[in-house]
Amino acid sequence: IGNRVAAVRPLALTVAASGIAAGAYVGTHLIVVAFVAVFAWGAIEGFFLTPLRVVLQRVTPAHSHGRVLALASAMEHLGNLVAIPFAGLVIAAIGPSQTGIGVGVLALGAGGLATLWRDRPPEGDDGDADDGQRHEPPHRHAGMGEARAHP
């Protein structure tokens, strides 16, 4: 199940489903709908972050994992830093229900567009999980200006 969940298309569907649940939660006045939607929204979010990190690790060369995952984390926090005050301004202008529905529609659209993405193995990987070969990142030899792979 891991390979089917930790791929771009399932992540995109998670974003789209999150948008639907968020819009339903914030956009309704019915307690039952809000209860089911917030439960679904929380459950859906649980299927996003870990598979996202797995996908990032798969498509990134091993020697860049730390930098890429740190950048992803920084961008997540930057998104929160920008979105929270912006959302407050939008809520003040048009109201919480309309803002929630709008954000839900944006997430649904982003997830829908991202489902068009074609998963592909990392560069240099033919898709075989274990081909019996050692795969290590290239390194620089002292005094030589070119990168070389281990033999």
Side-chain angles (χ1 to χ4, degrees):
I1 190 169
N3 287 334
R4 289 183 291 221
V5 174
V8 174
R9 182 160 286 148
L11 286 174
L13 292 172
T14 301
V15 170
S18 177
I20 292 169
Y25 169 63
V26 180
T28 187
H29 296 288
L30 301 173
I31 299 293
V32 173
V33 173
F35 178 81
V36 170
V38 78
F39 177 81
W41 190 12
I44 291 165
E45 290 297 314
F47 286 99
F48 182 74
L49 288 177
T50 300
L52 172 66
R53 289 184 177 100
V54 171
V55 168
L56 285 174
Q57 287 177 345
R58 284 184 183 164
V59 299
T60 303
H63 64 278
S64 298
H65 281 175
R67 287 177 282 190
V68 168
L69 292 172
L71 180 61
S73 179
M75 295 308 295
E76 178 184 350
H77 294 296
L78 178 63
N80 291 337
L81 186 67
V82 170
I84 290 171
F86 182 70
L89 293 173
V90 175
I91 288 169
I94 65 173
S97 293
Q98 292 78 9
T99 302
I101 292 169
V103 170
V105 168
L106 286 174
L108 178 60
L113 285 175
T115 60
L116 302 175
W117 179 274
R118 300 284 182 238
D119 287 320
R120 44 190 181 269
E123 189 174 311
D125 184 1
D126 61 5
D128 292 333
D130 183 15
D131 58 7
Q133 301 290 321
R134 273 181 49 183
H135 297 284
E136 296 184 24
H139 66 279
R140 294 198 175 272
H141 292 280
M144 304 175 89
E146 59 189 58
R148 302 212 179 176
H150 291 275

